[in-house]
Amino acid sequence: MGAALAVEFSWFSANPFVRNGTAWDKCDPIVLDPSIKKVLYPPYGFEIRREARSSNPREIHIFMEKRLGYMGHPTGWMSITGVRSEMHVVQGIQSPGELSLASRGCWSSMEGGRSMSVVVFVHPDLIDVELLVSKKLVEPTSEDPDWMQYIVDSVEGRRDDPWNLDSKVFSVVPWHYDYNKTARDANVPVKPL
């Protein structure tokens, strides 16, 4: 069953109602408008690869490896197959000529959490667009005032709005299963603890 869902389950869990594991997904390609001159992405969790995935140099391809590694005790069933739909890449135009990419839906606690590695394939011939790191796109951490409430709400299934993104600016990039598990060998920078 896991292969049909592009998922590998882990039997390592402190609770029989938690099914940890890893899922692989891919986003629909993003075709950059000619007005886009910069693509911004977070410093953690993203890897940019200069590799052609199509003949269109303005097409960006995004692949995700989503992980649930939770040792806590939620009030109901929790599985990688369920939480994968809450973890995604979002895109938005915050400034003219700049496309921002970010991941949303990840969190961590003393008992584990959800994480994601994102691999972005950019065509080698795309030379008129700058690829820049932006710390403004990092998901909130334990220093943020709403961080703990977000985790509690997520674990209890009361919230799937990732960090209250401005839906007028950002939208989820549509995704589907990646049976090739392309992001499996991602080499992404990890946020320091």
Side-chain angles (χ1 to χ4, degrees), residues 28 30 37 44 56 65 72 83 88-89 97-99 101 120 140-141 148 160 170 181 184:
D28 290 348
I30 298 173
K37 299 301 177 195
Y44 311 114
N56 182 352
E65 181 179 76
V83 301
H88 36 254
V89 171
E98 295 182 358
L99 174 70
L101 299 174
V120 181
T141 63
M148 185 51 73
D160 57 2
F170 283 95
K181 301 177 182 176
R184 178 188 285 274

Side-chain angles (χ1 to χ4, degrees), residues 32-54:
L32 297 178
D33 185 270
S35 67
I36 300 296
K37 299 301 177 195
K38 294 180 182 178
V39 174
L40 307 175
Y41 61 94
Y44 311 114
F46 275 65
E47 177 186 358
I48 305 297
R49 295 185 189 172
R50 285 279 187 177
E51 183 180 314
R53 299 296 280 195
S54 77

Side-chain angles (χ1 to χ4, degrees), residues 1-3 5 7-23 66-74 76-84 87 113-114:
M1 178 176 138
L5 301 173
V7 169
E8 288 181 7
F9 294 105
S10 167
W11 294 103
F12 190 64
S13 177
N15 184 320
F17 295 111
V18 177
R19 189 88 184 269
N20 292 315
T22 306
K66 303 172 179 181
R67 294 172 296 276
L68 174 65
Y70 186 59
M71 297 309 225
H73 300 280
W77 175 257
M78 180 185 286
S79 171
I80 183 62
T81 57
V83 301
R84 83 189 301 178
M87 302 162 60
R114 304 187 311 210

Side-chain angles (χ1 to χ4, degrees), residues 57-129:
R58 296 197 69 81
E59 204 168 80
I60 292 177
H61 295 261
I62 301 172
F63 296 84
M64 302 166 285
E65 181 179 76
K66 303 172 179 181
R67 294 172 296 276
L68 174 65
Y70 186 59
M71 297 309 225
H73 300 280
T75 56
W77 175 257
M78 180 185 286
S79 171
I80 183 62
T81 57
V83 301
R84 83 189 301 178
S85 64
E86 300 167 12
M87 302 162 60
H88 36 254
V89 171
V90 294
Q91 64 177 338
I93 307 286
Q94 294 180 291
S95 299
E98 295 182 358
L99 174 70
S100 296
L101 299 174
S103 63
R104 290 297 184 254
C106 301
W107 52 263
S108 62
S109 69
M110 291 186 325
E111 296 155 327
R114 304 187 311 210
S115 62
M116 183 166 62
S117 297
V118 179
V119 178
V120 181
F121 288 92
V122 178
H123 200 286
D125 293 340
L126 184 66
I127 55 174
D128 64 332
V129 175

